[in-house]
Amino acid sequence: MMQIRISDDALAIACGANVLARAFAERGHEVVRTSSWGMHWLEPLVEIDGIGYGPAEAGHVDAILGGTADALCIGRIADHPFIASQTRLTFARAGMTRPTSLDDYAATGGWAGLERARALGAEAVVAEVTASGLRGRGGAGFPAGIKWNTVRVAPGSEKYIVCNADEGDSGTFADRMVMEGDPFMLIEGMAIAGLAVGAGKGFIYIRSEYPHAIAKMQAAVQLSAAIVAPFEVEVRVGAGAYVCGEETSLLNSLEGKRGEVRAKPPLPAHEGLFGCPTVINNVLTLAAVPFVLSQGAQAYADYGMGRSRGTMPVQIAGNVKHGGLYETAFGITLGDIVEKIGGGTASGRPIRAVQVGGPLGAYFPPALFDTPFDYEAFTAVDGLIGHGGITVFDDSADMAKQARFAFEFCAAESCGKCTPCRIGSVRGRETLDKVIAGEASEANLQLVADLCETMKFGSLCALGGFTPYPVMSAITHFPEDFGLRMAEAAE
């Protein structure tokens, strides 16, 4: 009897992992369900004695067992270039452990960060996180230590930790992979945050579209309750509104209110959940904390460049040959991520554009592929890293239609609280429809630019404020898609 390791990650299951696992079990072999390695183009990936076979199907089982599946064999998984070239801090356990096994977690360094945090005390823990240079991985990139300290010194008998797991950006899946593959790491990070700021309870707000993640987190919360006590963790499920990924909309939703943006100030760090000082961090931020505390601030800060310290789990998706999760230190170029790691387009056609930062991220042409993947470098070219999602498009993409989609998306997802987002997105979509139809394109494109300026600086939150990034980057870097329409209309 052999031990067969197959991921129970949602993507692997969608590709047929459960059927494959049953096929091996029916032949009398032990099947162990593990976290995902993150090589999504190879799922379902079968691992036997460290050797990988993928993408595998039930019909391949006999060949794999008989040693005749050479076409599927990728060699030792840990030595595969996609894995071996990574800097895995947050995803160090990916592919190696059983997600809800306390034994596996403890055997791979789990709870060491919490143990050290308890020995250090609140003020020293905050100092450690600050010294690490850890910044929010949800999009804004705000220093985590500063946010934590603000909550720590804020007056109030009740304080909360809120984990934003409403991963709504297209092409992003790192939060899901943490929750499905290493849920105790997230819980440990939250418990450390609670100790640091004096919070007794934490909430994990998960989007309803993540049923596997919800089940894993609920199980992990119960299994680890005694370990993190007196800190308590509760899982809450959202109702599918994209805007609830914005921190104040999320707070309203947690309180049972309509998910719409709150005006700032007051900041959530002063008046957050139920009017109490609240730390709101996303999954990747909190998941990085156990490493910072167990290995020390300097060990984390040694990775990266400039003010972008540590690593970023980059999610490569879209029309790309090697889609998956790739954790790397800040500083790698965008071109290396897309062309060397991602392998170029799945279609084999030339890359036309890459969108970084989800549906509200800017489009980058190949001319900007030498841009280092770091917060300041992206800001300098009018882009944003966001949650680290990268979506690849080949030369068949119509960038005018992509710009229109950004307005359409904003209009559909707006909470309606502020006029620039609610009205501007609709008017923007209507105006780009005129451009696409060849109607007074030059004047209408100027109107689009004016609308984007108003939305960028007048919206209450990033939904309206970031919509101009994909729109204006498409117009700036791909003017031929808009200019060609003017030429066609003039003929």
Side-chain angles (χ1 to χ4, degrees):
M1 182 179 72
M2 288 191 288
Q3 185 185 88
I4 314 294
R5 298 170 68 86
I6 300 174
S7 171
D8 63 357
D9 175 88
L11 183 137
I13 291 173
C15 293
N18 286 349
V19 174
L20 187 62
R22 283 196 297 271
F24 278 108
E26 287 168 357
R27 286 161 174 78
H29 296 284
E30 178 192 4
V31 178
V32 177
R33 305 307 294 270
T34 67
S35 52
S36 170
W37 283 93
M39 297 190 287
H40 291 343
W41 79 96
L42 292 174
E43 293 289 5
L45 179 63
V46 175
E47 180 180 355
I48 303 175
D49 294 330
I51 305 300
Y53 302 85
E57 300 175 3
H60 297 139
V61 169
D62 290 333
I64 293 173
L65 293 173
T68 59
D70 293 347
L72 296 176
C73 184
I74 64 168
R76 187 162 295 279
I77 297 176
D79 296 336
H80 190 284
F82 189 88
I83 301 298
S85 61
Q86 293 189 41
T87 303
R88 288 198 159 187
L89 307 184
T90 303
F91 283 87
R93 298 181 187 86
M96 301 181 185
T97 56
R98 295 167 294 175
T100 54
S101 168
L102 283 171
D103 290 340
D104 283 11
Y105 188 66
T108 51
W111 312 119
L114 179 58
E115 183 178 351
R116 181 167 179 253
R118 286 168 171 165
L120 287 174
E123 187 173 356
V125 169
V126 172
E128 195 82 356
V129 172
T130 303
S132 74
L134 175 64
R135 295 168 66 173
R137 298 292 190 253
F142 189 81
I146 294 177
K147 181 182 287 188
W148 285 23
N149 195 55
T150 302
V151 175
R152 184 183 71 84
V153 301
S157 58
E158 290 287 341
K159 298 179 182 180
Y160 295 100
I161 306 298
V162 172
C163 174
N164 183 348
D166 192 66
E167 187 175 51
D169 286 350
S170 51
T172 58
F173 40 84
D175 288 1
R176 178 187 61 74
M177 285 185 62
V178 167
M179 292 186 287
E180 292 182 5
D182 203 355
F184 297 123
M185 177 176 60
L186 176 57
I187 293 169
E188 182 178 4
M190 293 181 68
I192 293 170
L195 184 155
V197 306
K201 185 165 185 176
F203 292 89
I204 306 174
Y205 185 93
I206 309 178
R207 59 191 290 104
S208 59
E209 294 90 340
Y210 278 179
H212 299 88
I214 293 166
K216 288 279 186 66
M217 286 309 312
Q218 288 174 334
V221 165
Q222 291 180 349
L223 289 168
S224 62
I227 298 173
V228 300
F231 187 75
E232 297 179 15
V233 178
E234 182 178 336
V235 175
R236 292 283 185 90
V237 180
Y242 179 82
V243 75
C244 285
E246 192 279 331
E247 61 181 16
T248 62
S249 294
L250 186 156
L251 291 178
N252 274 343
S253 181
L254 270 177
E255 293 176 0
K257 302 172 184 174
R258 177 186 172 91
E260 63 180 15
V261 178
R262 297 179 184 177
K264 300 176 187 177
L267 296 171
H270 294 134
E271 293 182 31
L273 187 64
F274 306 121
C276 300
T278 304
V279 168
I280 307 176
N281 283 139
N282 100 311
V283 172
L284 294 182
T285 312
L286 292 164
V289 169
F291 178 93
V292 172
L293 267 296
S294 65
Q295 303 300 313
Q298 192 58 51
Y300 191 80
D302 282 343
Y303 297 98
M305 61 182 288
R307 292 178 53 220
S308 300
R309 311 311 306 175
T311 61
M312 185 69 182
V314 180
Q315 299 124 91
I316 308 169
N319 187 343
V320 67
K321 188 175 181 181
H322 298 151
L325 183 134
Y326 188 92
E327 186 176 359
T328 180
F330 286 101
I332 188 173
T333 66
L334 180 59
D336 280 350
I337 293 173
V338 176
E339 295 175 325
K340 293 183 180 180
I341 298 163
T345 64
S347 64
R349 299 174 65 98
I351 297 174
R352 179 90 192 279
V354 173
Q355 187 176 31
V356 183
L360 305 182
Y363 290 101
F364 287 79
L368 291 177
F369 277 9
D370 61 347
T371 304
F373 201 78
D374 105 310
Y375 290 104
E376 281 65 46
F378 267 61
T379 299
V381 291
D382 292 325
L384 51 95
I385 285 178
H387 188 45
I390 294 179
T391 306
V392 181
F393 298 83
D394 70 13
D395 63 354
S396 65
D398 186 326
M399 301 311 295
K401 290 182 179 179
Q402 291 300 127
R404 181 194 183 279
F405 171 75
F407 277 132
E408 182 180 38
F409 179 84
C410 182
E413 298 293 347
S414 175
C415 74
K417 182 73 174 284
C418 67
T419 302
C421 177
R422 183 182 70 248
I423 303 298
S425 55
V426 176
R427 294 293 171 260
R429 183 193 63 206
E430 293 172 350
T431 306
L432 277 182
D433 278 339
K434 294 177 181 178
V435 172
I436 291 171
E439 299 176 18
S441 297
E442 189 172 348
N444 280 320
L445 285 175
Q446 182 57 55
L447 178 56
V448 167
D450 291 343
L451 278 168
C452 284
E453 186 79 0
T454 301
M455 292 179 69
K456 186 174 184 178
F457 296 104
S459 298
L460 280 175
C461 83
L463 177 55
F466 283 0
T467 296
Y469 280 96
V471 174
M472 293 309 300
S473 62
I475 295 172
T476 300
H477 299 305
F478 308 95
E480 62 273 18
D481 280 25
F482 302 87
L484 284 174
R485 298 186 190 285
M486 290 189 285
E488 291 168 355
E491 291 176 359

